[in-house]
């Protein structure tokens, strides 16, 4: 069974890397295997009030530790039991190959199937500084407006009800999936991660687990971007693989849904990406737009930045390099910079709305 598992896993991995550029084949695999699995497994895991992915992660860590102890004990035997050592190596190799093969199947194929842009007909294009400024101003207006509608604590910081935010997550994509059928999917809950502090140390706000089809979210970070992060991970759950597209879809779904916590959080997230791009393109335009942010929004942004500054440590640099390598493995040569590419989609989609807002705010 070990040899068979290893052989089949390597055969699939070889097939995947040899033929992943064939979009029609990857799309067929998505429709026939991946999406049905995510629908079925997502429904099964949704009944659990906790993250099955996190439980499996801790269990896997304990098994890995046990395997390491087992290796040390086998290596220390005199005379060495080479047969047992070979069996250990084969077991570890077959399990590792199986997990990687399943990852390529349940997630990797999404990178080479038709993207959200291709399925929706939305086309990202290069934008001018003037267009960028116009859309950034529009999202600043949304930030300022909804900053006054959402709850705040005694220090003036956003203080949404975390439980209510998670409870609303299954309904988040109802409206946008009617406009874009490619985003249709099961109405599932996002899952909070108990070990969220560990995620913060590795610079992770959340992750989608393709094995359990769960959208998992870091709840240790400030609440301001929690709803938008939930929307982002749910975009992955609905088959949007690229990070830039998932960011755009998160903003789109949150604004279409209209729930105030999600609209405010998504507007702030959109402003961060748009503002960073505008600052690089024209710092004077950015300064003028930034001056129009309300004090409430600035306080939330300040708390967000202060939190993540605490984790600016070597482990963060290592995790960034690992994730960059991971993205490049799946053909994304922009690495972590791919997050900024959502700006083009935001400008393309909200450009006309922003122009109309300037004429009649």
């Amino acid at each position: 069974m070990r040899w068979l598992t290893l052989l089949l896993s390597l055969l699939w991995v070889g097939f995947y890397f040899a033929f992943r550029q064939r979009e029609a084949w990857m799309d067929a695999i998505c429709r026939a295997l991946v999406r049905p699995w995510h629908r079925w497994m997502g429904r099964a895991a949704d009944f659990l009030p906790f993250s099955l992915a996190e439980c499996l992660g801790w269990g896997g860590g304990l098994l890995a530790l046990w395997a390491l102890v087992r290796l040390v004990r086998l290596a220390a035997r005199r005379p060495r039991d080479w047969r047992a050592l070979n069996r250990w190596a084969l077991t570890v190799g077959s399990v590792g190959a199986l997990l990687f093969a399943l990852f390529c199947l349940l997630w990797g194929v999404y990178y080479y199937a038709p993207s959200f842009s291709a399925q929706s007909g939305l086309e990202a294009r290069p934008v001018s500084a003037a267009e960028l400024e116009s859309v950034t101003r529009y999202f600043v207006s949304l930030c300022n407006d909804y900053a006054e509608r959402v709850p705040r604590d005694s220090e003036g910081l956003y203080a949404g009800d975390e439980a209510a935010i998670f409870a609303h997550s299954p309904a988040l994509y109802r409206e946008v999936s009617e406009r874009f059928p490619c985003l249709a999917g099961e109405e599932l809950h996002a899952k909070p991660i108990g070990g969220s502090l560990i995620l913060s140390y590795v610079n992770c706000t959340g992750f989608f687990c393709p094995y359990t089809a769960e959208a998992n979210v870091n709840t240790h970070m400030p609440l301001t971007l929690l709803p938008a992060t939930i929307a982002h991970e749910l975009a992955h759950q609905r088959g949007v693989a690229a990070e830039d597209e998932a960011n755009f879809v998160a903003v789109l779904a949150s604004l279409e849904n209209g729930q105030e916590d999600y609209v405010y959080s998504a507007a702030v997230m959109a402003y961060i990406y748009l503002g960073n791009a505008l600052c690089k393109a024209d710092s004077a335009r950015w300064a003028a737009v930034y001056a129009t942010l309300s004090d409430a929004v600035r306080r939330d942004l300040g708390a967000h930045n202060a939190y993540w500054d605490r984790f600016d440590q070597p482990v963060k640099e290592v995790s960034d390099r690992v994730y960059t390598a991971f993205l490049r493995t799946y053909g994304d040569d922009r690495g972590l910079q791919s997050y900024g590419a959502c700006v083009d989609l935001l400008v393309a989609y909200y450009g006309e709305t922003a122009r109309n807002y300037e004429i009649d705010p």
Side-chain angles (χ1 to χ4, degrees):
M1 288 302 298
R2 293 182 180 93
W3 279 111
L4 181 61
T5 300
L6 180 62
L7 176 62
L8 292 178
S9 298
L10 293 179
L11 284 174
W12 160 247
V13 170
F15 173 86
Y16 169 73
F17 280 99
F19 298 104
R20 59 181 176 171
Q21 298 296 341
R22 295 179 180 265
E23 186 178 84
W25 290 17
M26 296 298 105
D27 186 41
I29 293 172
C30 279
R31 295 177 185 275
L33 296 174
V34 184
R35 294 308 296 269
W37 168 260
H38 286 163
R39 284 195 296 269
W40 181 86
M41 191 65 218
R43 285 196 300 267
D46 199 51
F47 286 104
L48 300 174
F50 54 85
S51 170
L52 177 60
E54 182 177 18
C55 292
L56 293 176
W58 286 112
L62 291 175
L63 284 176
L65 181 61
W66 175 85
L68 182 61
V69 172
R70 172 73 173 162
L71 174 63
V72 172
R73 293 179 64 182
L74 289 174
R77 285 183 181 178
R78 292 292 184 272
R80 286 199 180 119
D81 186 346
W82 291 106
R83 188 173 183 179
L85 282 169
N86 290 336
R87 189 164 54 246
W88 180 95
L90 182 58
T91 300
V92 172
S94 61
V95 170
L98 176 62
L99 290 175
F100 183 65
L102 287 175
F103 190 83
C104 291
L105 172 63
L106 299 176
W107 183 243
V109 294
Y110 274 142
Y111 279 88
Y112 299 96
S115 65
F116 167 75
S117 296
Q119 295 181 72
S120 65
L122 295 178
E123 291 292 339
R125 59 175 179 78
V127 299
S128 67
E131 290 175 306
L132 190 55
E133 179 186 8
S134 174
V135 177
T136 306
R137 285 187 181 276
Y138 170 67
F139 276 97
V140 166
S141 71
L142 286 179
C143 290
N144 292 343
D145 181 12
Y146 280 86
E148 303 302 321
R149 304 188 192 188
V150 295
R152 296 195 168 273
D153 61 19
S154 58
E155 297 180 358
L157 296 174
Y158 169 66
D161 185 335
E162 183 179 302
I165 291 170
F166 275 98
H168 185 74
S169 59
L172 184 61
Y173 276 77
R174 285 178 186 170
E175 290 77 13
V176 75
S177 61
E178 293 180 2
R179 180 174 297 187
F180 298 103
C182 60
L183 294 176
E186 297 293 325
E187 294 190 354
L188 305 173
H189 291 84
K191 300 288 187 72
I193 289 294
S196 288
L197 180 59
I198 298 174
L199 294 184
S200 294
Y201 273 106
V202 296
N203 194 33
C204 179
T205 59
F207 63 93
F208 171 68
C209 178
Y211 305 108
T212 64
E214 292 173 299
N216 303 275
V217 181
N218 180 342
T219 56
H220 192 269
M221 63 182 184
L223 285 172
T224 303
L225 291 184
L226 176 65
T229 302
I230 289 174
H232 174 100
E233 299 306 332
L234 288 173
H236 287 322
Q237 193 179 63
R238 289 170 182 254
V240 181
E243 294 294 337
D244 52 352
E245 292 190 336
N247 282 327
F248 169 75
V249 168
V251 174
L252 178 64
S254 298
L255 267 58
E256 290 289 325
N257 182 261
Q259 204 278 340
E260 291 179 348
D261 294 274
Y262 279 91
V263 173
Y264 176 62
S265 183
V268 171
M269 185 174 77
Y271 166 74
I272 291 173
Y273 290 115
L274 290 163
N276 288 341
L278 181 60
C279 186
K280 293 178 181 178
D282 191 322
S283 59
R285 289 177 186 267
W286 170 82
V289 173
Y290 179 80
T292 64
L293 277 175
S294 69
D295 290 338
V297 180
R298 293 190 192 190
R299 283 194 296 270
D300 288 336
L301 288 172
H304 172 80
N305 292 334
Y307 174 82
W308 288 107
D309 285 345
R310 293 163 47 194
F311 300 97
D312 191 11
Q313 300 175 11
V315 66
K316 172 182 177 295
E317 295 179 9
V318 172
S319 67
D320 284 352
R321 290 174 183 172
V322 171
Y323 191 60
T324 299
F326 161 76
L327 289 176
R328 286 174 176 163
T329 298
Y330 288 96
D332 191 342
D333 292 331
R334 294 169 298 183
L336 291 177
Q337 291 303 313
S338 67
Y339 281 81
C342 78
V343 168
D344 294 342
L345 283 170
L346 287 169
V347 174
Y349 190 80
Y350 291 102
E352 184 176 353
T353 302
R355 288 191 295 273
N356 292 336
Y357 177 83
E358 290 177 338
I359 295 172
D360 186 18

